[in-house]
């Protein structure tokens, strides 16, 4: 378990996270980063990439399945709503 996993876990415990592409697209408050699972489908990747580009927020891919990090089955995409946690995840992604 790396630092990225820990920061995402902190976001889950503090409630500063939105689960799933449908909820992310409906969420009206500020999002600071999108985190996508490496096992996500091509369709989800395309939707997430278009959304991230439209809203000018970074899209980060984690190393291990996202459902193992957030303990939610079949979770492939989350949005971080805390600026500091998003910054930490972006800086530590790929390490």
């Amino acid at each position: 378990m790396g630092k990225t996993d820990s920061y995402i876990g902190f976001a889950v415990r503090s409630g500063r996270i939105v689960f799933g592409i449908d909820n992310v697209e409906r969420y009206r408050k500020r999002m600071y980063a999108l985190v996508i699972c490496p096992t996500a489908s091509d369709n989800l990747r395309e939707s997430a990439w278009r959304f991230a580009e439209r809203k000018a927020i970074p899209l980060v891919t984690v190393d291990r399945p996202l459902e193992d990090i957030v303990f939610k089955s079949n979770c492939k995409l989350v949005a971080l709503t805390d600026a500091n946690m998003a910054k930490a995840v972006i800086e530590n992604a790929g390490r």
Side-chain angles (χ1 to χ4, degrees):
M1 188 161 146
K3 286 185 177 183
T4 304
D5 298 359
S6 296
Y7 290 125
I8 294 171
F10 292 149
V12 171
R13 286 189 291 283
S14 67
R16 303 286 189 157
I17 198 164
V18 180
F19 299 97
I21 188 71
D22 294 333
N23 293 332
V24 166
E25 289 175 342
R26 281 190 298 243
Y27 192 75
R28 295 292 172 215
K29 297 179 184 174
R30 179 84 165 111
M31 290 175 276
Y32 296 94
L34 292 178
V35 181
I36 195 164
C37 184
T39 62
S41 68
D42 292 337
N43 189 26
L44 176 62
R45 286 183 186 281
E46 180 67 26
S47 296
W49 181 79
R50 276 187 277 128
F51 182 82
E53 190 174 73
R54 188 172 65 240
K55 297 291 184 176
I57 54 178
L59 178 64
V60 178
T61 303
V62 289
D63 296 334
R64 44 181 256 183
L66 197 56
E67 57 192 16
D68 293 344
I69 299 170
V70 298
F71 301 108
K72 232 173 165 39
S73 65
N74 206 25
C75 182
K76 302 295 181 188
L77 179 81
V78 295
L80 300 172
T81 61
D82 182 86
N84 292 323
M85 286 183 202
K87 182 181 174 186
V89 168
I90 293 165
E91 289 174 354
N92 290 297
R95 288 186 185 179

